[in-house]
Amino acid sequence: MFADLKIDEIAPNPDQPRKFFDEEKHKELKGSIEENGLLQPVVVRPVEGAETPYMLIAGERRWRACKAAGLTVIPANILKDTDDEKAYVLGIAENVGREDMTIMEEACAYADLKTAGWESKKIAKQFGKTETHIKWRLGLLTLRKEVSEMVDKGQIKPNLAWHIAQLNPGNQMVAAMRYVRGDFDSEAEAQHFANGLKMTEQQTSLTNEQAPDAEEQEKRKAQKVKAKDGLGKAEEVLLPLLEELAEKKPEDLAVILGDDLTRHVKVIGKLFSQVQLVRNLLSKAQGVQRAMEAEFNRKALEVQKEAEEAKTKAVEKAKPEEKSACSEKKASAKPAAKKATPGAASKPAAKTRTATRTTAARKAPAQKTAEAKPVTKKAEAAPAK
């Protein structure tokens, strides 16, 4: 049933699958409604006994824009006999195909249906998706918050996000940050790196492998030399040849290769197939190597951290001994201070003795002067006799 409803008679659905509404697109829709009115009605259902008689099933973005544009009445499609689950499914159906519904919102919506008892196959059929699509979306729910935000912002694509979601939270941040900052030439390289991290988590032979014996070392050395020589020849011979052929015109090649052209086409086809296969393997190997380096660096940091903690504990353990030594020094200094205290009481006597000596010293020169004068006179009189 279609009817014009007062906008204040409609309440948004608290279980709305979409949680994010783009501000710029909201302004654009508001401007369009102000110019042309609401062209597509919102979908609501009656709610008995509620303060607001109708609840939105679909069209919350339109309802918000109408309120912002100052509309008091809007057209609505009223669906009766619709329970909470059916309303939620309709809300997902209305939003799941829209570009502005984020990947994580879509994943959370499917998860709610799984909680309600829906199988992945039923969800896929309901929304016209493949069962694999549903499972991959549900697989994103193990992403930590920071990485899921990168996915919603479009910094990480869904396919890569699924591979990252298989990792533990710490490695999720390692893979996500390295991809976002541009450490990889392609998304495939980032996937191989994530898979390599997963292998290290599972503690496969890559991380638990024991040191090879002398025979194994020689074998690996020979394999390395052979591979390097073969790839070196391909770079020196095959690559220039292909570059030279690529510069020629088809009619020239038809004449140059003649009757052998069909055979060469087959050879190049096989070569192309093998090159793609080897390139993919090398990319995976590169991902594993980078993951092993990251794991090694992480363990090196852990060892460094443990060493620093041990050093800190050793310093803290030595501190009490230093304090006791200081206490002993202070304790040995205290008796000396106590002995000096009684001496302070005898200071007045010392001052008295000092004063007496000073007075005597002052008197002594006077006496000597007085005694010296007669001698001087006698000495002067002697020549006169």
Side-chain angles (χ1 to χ4, degrees):
M1 184 178 73
F2 289 89
D4 289 333
L5 300 177
K6 291 181 180 179
I7 200 165
D8 294 333
E9 292 180 339
I10 303 171
N13 183 358
D15 296 324
Q16 156 74 267
R18 287 177 58 191
K19 308 298 180 186
F20 173 75
F21 295 90
D22 187 89
E23 187 62 29
E24 288 299 321
K25 291 184 178 180
H26 170 75
K27 290 178 181 178
E28 290 176 7
L29 182 57
K30 173 178 170 286
S32 174
I33 289 172
E34 287 174 342
E35 290 292 325
N36 309 303
L38 183 61
L39 302 178
Q40 182 181 359
V42 297
V43 181
V44 300
R45 65 184 176 110
V47 183
E48 295 182 5
E51 186 177 345
T52 308
Y54 297 96
M55 181 179 288
L56 278 168
I57 293 177
E60 183 172 338
R61 196 166 70 95
R62 280 166 275 152
W63 175 79
R64 286 170 177 252
C66 286
K67 287 194 75 172
L71 272 65
T72 57
V73 176
I74 59 173
N77 180 10
I78 304 171
L79 299 182
K80 295 182 178 181
D81 301 325
T82 304
D83 58 17
D84 292 344
E85 183 176 315
K86 187 175 180 181
Y88 188 72
V89 171
L90 290 172
I92 298 173
E94 204 266 346
N95 286 296
V96 76
R98 293 181 181 273
E99 185 180 346
D100 52 358
M101 186 179 193
T102 70
I103 294 167
M104 297 309 298
E105 285 175 344
E106 182 186 355
C108 290
Y110 297 151
D112 288 341
L113 292 177
K114 287 282 286 186
T115 303
W118 287 50
E119 296 292 335
S120 298
K121 188 175 182 179
K122 182 180 178 181
I123 297 172
K125 184 178 180 181
Q126 180 73 36
F127 303 109
K129 305 290 184 181
T130 64
E131 192 173 352
T132 301
H133 175 90
I134 302 300
K135 288 180 177 178
W136 275 58
R137 285 293 186 269
L138 291 171
L140 299 178
L141 296 176
T142 57
L143 287 172
R144 57 187 292 169
K145 183 181 177 182
E146 300 91 337
V147 181
S148 65
E149 288 175 354
M150 295 178 192
V151 176
D152 269 346
K153 291 176 182 177
Q155 295 174 310
I156 299 176
K157 294 180 180 179
N159 193 36
L160 173 58
W162 185 88
H163 287 275
I164 294 175
Q166 310 309 306
L167 304 173
N168 64 43
N171 280 336
Q172 284 183 18
M173 282 303 293
V174 171
M177 290 305 299
R178 289 194 62 172
Y179 176 74
V180 170
R181 74 186 184 190
D183 286 0
F184 307 106
D185 293 334
S186 65
E187 186 179 342
E189 279 190 18
Q191 287 179 21
H192 296 327
F193 175 69
N195 292 338
L197 287 177
K198 187 63 180 177
M199 293 173 76
T200 61
E201 287 180 6
Q202 293 171 340
Q203 296 185 344
T204 61
S205 59
L206 286 171
T207 55
N208 287 341
E209 185 177 8
Q210 296 179 352
D213 55 25
E215 185 180 349
E216 182 64 22
Q217 286 182 357
E218 288 299 321
K219 184 179 177 181
R220 290 185 182 184
K221 191 181 293 185
Q223 289 175 341
K224 183 177 181 179
V225 171
K226 183 179 178 181
K228 288 181 71 175
D229 287 347
L231 291 172
K233 289 178 181 177
E235 186 177 5
E236 293 174 6
V237 180
L238 185 58
L239 189 59
L241 174 61
L242 294 176
E243 289 174 348
E244 183 181 349
L245 291 173
E247 293 176 356
K248 298 189 179 299
K249 297 178 181 179
E251 53 269 28
D252 294 335
L253 290 173
V255 174
I256 293 170
L257 298 176
D259 297 338
D260 292 330
L261 180 57
T262 301
R263 183 172 64 86
H264 289 309
V265 168
K266 290 181 180 179
V267 170
I268 293 297
K270 289 180 180 179
L271 181 63
F272 176 72
S273 177
Q274 290 300 313
V275 166
Q276 282 189 313
L277 176 62
V278 172
R279 187 185 184 284
N280 189 41
L281 286 171
L282 291 177
S283 181
K284 288 180 179 180
Q286 189 178 43
V288 171
Q289 186 184 58
R290 286 171 170 170
M292 292 172 70
E293 288 174 359
E295 181 70 8
F296 176 81
N297 292 336
R298 183 184 66 79
K299 289 182 177 179
L301 288 174
E302 287 179 358
V303 170
Q304 184 180 356
K305 187 178 179 181
E306 288 175 3
E308 290 175 354
E309 289 175 353
K311 186 178 179 181
T312 303
K313 287 180 181 178
V315 172
E316 290 176 352
K317 189 176 180 181
K319 281 182 179 178
E321 296 177 2
E322 292 176 3
K323 287 180 181 178
S324 61
C326 292
S327 301
E328 288 175 5
K329 288 179 182 179
K330 288 179 181 178
S332 61
K334 284 180 181 177
K338 287 180 181 178
K339 287 179 182 178
T341 305
S346 62
K347 281 183 180 178
K351 285 183 179 178
T352 305
R353 286 195 296 271
T354 305
T356 306
R357 288 173 186 170
T358 305
T359 306
R362 286 175 183 172
K363 288 179 179 179
Q367 289 174 359
K368 287 179 182 178
T369 306
E371 291 172 0
K373 283 181 181 178
V375 176
T376 306
K377 284 180 181 179
K378 287 179 181 178
E380 290 175 353
K385 287 181 180 181

